Structures are given as C-alpha cells and as structure tokens.
C-alpha cells in the first residue's frame, strides 16, 4: 500500500508501540509516536488520523481523546484497549470513531485505519458537495465575513454546511461531533423528511452490510442525540419511527 497519510500514535507500551509503528511504516504510513497524551493536542492538526491507547500514564486515553476531538473534530480517532467491557467501549465511542480491543491482528488494525480514512474523505465531500437541491437539504444562506455560508436550522441548532459546524443557540457554543456522528447527521440532512431504515444508514455511513442485531448504529445515534437534543429521552430532531427507522424533519 502506498500512502502519505500521517498517524499520531499515542501508546506508552514500548513493545507494542514498536511493533505497531514498524508494521504501519511498512505499509507506507508516517508515524509520530507519543508515550503520553500531554502534548498531543498541539500535534493533532498535523495528523490525518489518531491511534490512542486507553491506559496511559498521566491523563487516561478517554480524557486525551475527548480533548483531541474538541481540538480537531474532523480527525478520526481509533481507540486501542485491553479493556473489553461494554461500558468501556461505549465510553470510548462517545467521542472516538472506532474501538479495537487488544490483542489484535495487524491486518485488522490496518483495515480499520483504511476504513476510517476512507470515511473521512467521504464525509468531507458530503459535508459540502451534493447537499442541495435533490439531496433534500433546504439550507438558507447568509453572509459571514464577506462570504456566503449555507445553513440548516434544526430547532435550537444551526448546522453550517460549508464549515461542517453545529451551533447551539441556547449557549452560543459549538457542538463537537465525532466523525461518525457528523456523517450520520449529514446523511439524515441529505434525506430530510424521509424515513431511513437502519440498514440504509449503516450501509451509507459504515460502507458495510448491516447485520441484524448489531447495536453499533443505535449506540452512535444515542450519543448523537445526547449532543443535539434538548431531551435525548424524548427526541424531536432525530425521530424514531417505530418498526421502520429514523427521520429528521425540515
């Protein structure tokens, strides 16, 4: 594989770190390896993707990951951990884009990285191109700093389609989404007012066939609702249509 993609790798275990670094460099990636997350925020903007271990000295990986996602919302984060409980995975997926448990095969790590990078490119394209007219996003436009920016109103939230940002008007603050959360929301907006099945959403966002019983999409929608709904237990932006799927109205 030939690539110039840059990985920010945060891992304190020298044996595992050396093995992962050597393998990924052999696949053409450029690796910057940190043993702690102390200076990671200053380096995340130079990375195309982050690999982050949970068990770190000082700040744990969950705290580091949340800071990195706030610093650079569009940079995918892949969590690595020997912790396999559902609670740990859900905590990680609250901000991270994927979660891989140790031990793992290098081929699986490489495959997951490729998928995340592919989705990042797809999400970036969908964030600005192909989201007007027949796509169903009826965004208005206003002048910002002398330019025109298309926006969509969703209750107390404004989605800026050109800058891929969400503004909460109650607090006048930006809502930070993970890559998957943003991709899911953009897919809803591309198909606003339509009922979308779990299969449609999963296959569009993950690029894989949906398997009945898989809770991945449900978990990500729950976390997305926690960020954008006034009352996540009674959602009005992302509606659940029982027996069918989900819908975002405009």
């Amino acid at each position: 594989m030939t690539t110039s993609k840059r990985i920010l790798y945060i891992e304190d275990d020298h044996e595992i770190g050396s093995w992962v670094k050597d393998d990924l460099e052999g696949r053409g990636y450029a690796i910057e390896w940190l043993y702690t997350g102390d200076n990671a925020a200053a380096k995340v903007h130079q990375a195309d993707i982050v690999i982050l271990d949970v068990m770190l000295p000082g700040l744990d990986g969950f705290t580091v990951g949340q800071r990195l996602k706030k610093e650079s919302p569009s940079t995918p984060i892949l969590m690595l951990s020997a912790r396999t409980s559902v609670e740990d995975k859900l905590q990680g997926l609250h901000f991270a884009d994927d979660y891989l448990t140790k031990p793992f095969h290098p081929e699986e790590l490489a495959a997951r990285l490729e998928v995340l990078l592919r989705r990042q490119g797809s999400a970036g394209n969908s964030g600005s191109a192909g989201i007007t007219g027949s796509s169903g996003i009826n965004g208005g436009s206003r002048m910002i700093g002398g330019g025109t920016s298309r926006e969509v109103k969703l209750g107390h939230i404004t989605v800026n389609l050109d800058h891929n940002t969400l503004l909460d008007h109650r607090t006048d603050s930006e809502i930070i989404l993970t890559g998957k959360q943003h991709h899911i929301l953009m897919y809803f907006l591309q198909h606003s007012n339509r009922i979308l099945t779990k299969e449609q959403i999963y296959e569009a966002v993950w690029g894989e066939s949906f398997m009945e019983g898989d809770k991945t999409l449900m978990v990500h929608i729950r976390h997305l609702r926690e960020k954008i709904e006034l009352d996540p237990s009674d959602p009005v932006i992302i509606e659940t249509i029982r027996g069918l799927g989900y819908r975002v109205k405009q």
Side-chain angles (χ1 to χ4, degrees):
M1 169 182 148
T2 301
T3 180
S4 58
K5 295 296 185 181
R6 298 158 299 178
I7 297 176
L8 178 61
Y9 180 36
I10 308 170
E11 167 69 72
D12 68 314
D13 188 302
H14 286 236
E15 183 177 355
I16 294 175
S18 296
W19 169 68
V20 170
K21 182 174 182 291
D22 290 346
D23 180 79
L24 292 177
E25 285 181 338
R27 299 174 188 270
Y29 289 102
I31 311 296
E32 179 160 10
W33 179 14
L34 304 179
Y35 301 127
T36 74
D38 294 347
N39 299 316
K43 298 178 179 292
V44 68
H45 293 289
Q46 285 74 52
D48 294 296
I49 193 167
V50 175
I51 302 176
L52 175 62
D53 186 48
V54 171
M55 302 299 292
L56 296 172
L59 295 175
D60 65 88
F62 294 128
T63 302
V64 172
Q66 292 177 59
R67 293 185 177 185
L68 294 181
K69 186 58 72 170
K70 185 174 182 180
E71 181 70 25
S72 181
S74 63
T75 304
I77 296 176
L78 170 62
M79 298 291 294
L80 293 179
S81 177
R83 295 158 66 168
T84 60
S85 72
V86 172
E87 291 76 13
D88 286 327
K89 290 182 180 180
L90 292 179
Q91 184 179 357
L93 288 172
H94 188 72
F95 63 87
D97 300 276
D98 202 355
Y99 191 107
L100 180 60
T101 56
K102 299 176 180 178
F104 55 86
H105 195 282
E107 292 294 340
E108 181 178 8
L109 175 60
R112 287 175 182 253
L113 289 172
E114 289 182 31
V115 168
L116 288 175
L117 289 167
R118 194 161 59 238
R119 285 183 204 149
Q120 181 193 31
S122 175
N125 291 335
S126 68
S128 58
I131 55 176
T132 56
S134 61
S135 67
I137 296 187
N138 301 309
S141 62
R142 65 187 180 96
M143 301 300 290
I144 297 179
T148 301
S149 180
R150 291 170 302 133
E151 297 178 340
V152 172
K153 304 287 187 180
L154 295 174
H156 62 288
I157 292 172
T158 295
V159 183
N160 187 303
L161 302 173
D162 297 312
H163 298 282
N164 294 324
T165 57
L166 278 73
L167 180 67
D168 186 336
H169 294 291
R170 298 170 303 162
T171 59
D172 199 31
S173 60
E174 184 179 356
I175 299 172
I176 304 300
L177 302 182
T178 67
K180 283 196 185 71
Q181 290 167 359
H182 182 267
H183 200 165
I184 290 169
L185 182 59
M186 288 300 106
Y187 188 71
F188 276 126
L189 294 180
Q190 288 172 335
H191 303 86
S192 59
N193 302 313
R194 288 178 51 188
I195 298 173
L196 301 173
T197 66
K198 292 180 294 184
E199 291 82 0
Q200 287 175 310
I201 302 168
Y202 186 90
E203 291 174 9
V205 174
W206 274 263
E208 303 169 359
S209 297
F210 177 78
M211 296 184 65
E212 195 60 43
D214 191 331
K215 304 297 184 182
T216 303
L217 175 62
M218 183 181 69
V219 169
H220 280 82
I221 287 182
R222 175 160 65 84
H223 289 323
L224 178 56
R225 281 171 165 166
E226 289 172 354
K227 293 183 178 181
I228 69 174
E229 298 280 1
L230 291 174
D231 181 1
S233 64
D234 185 22
V236 297
I237 295 177
I238 302 177
E239 299 178 314
T240 296
I241 310 300
R242 293 194 177 279
L244 295 175
Y246 303 94
R247 175 176 61 189
V248 169
K249 283 186 177 180
Q250 276 190 264

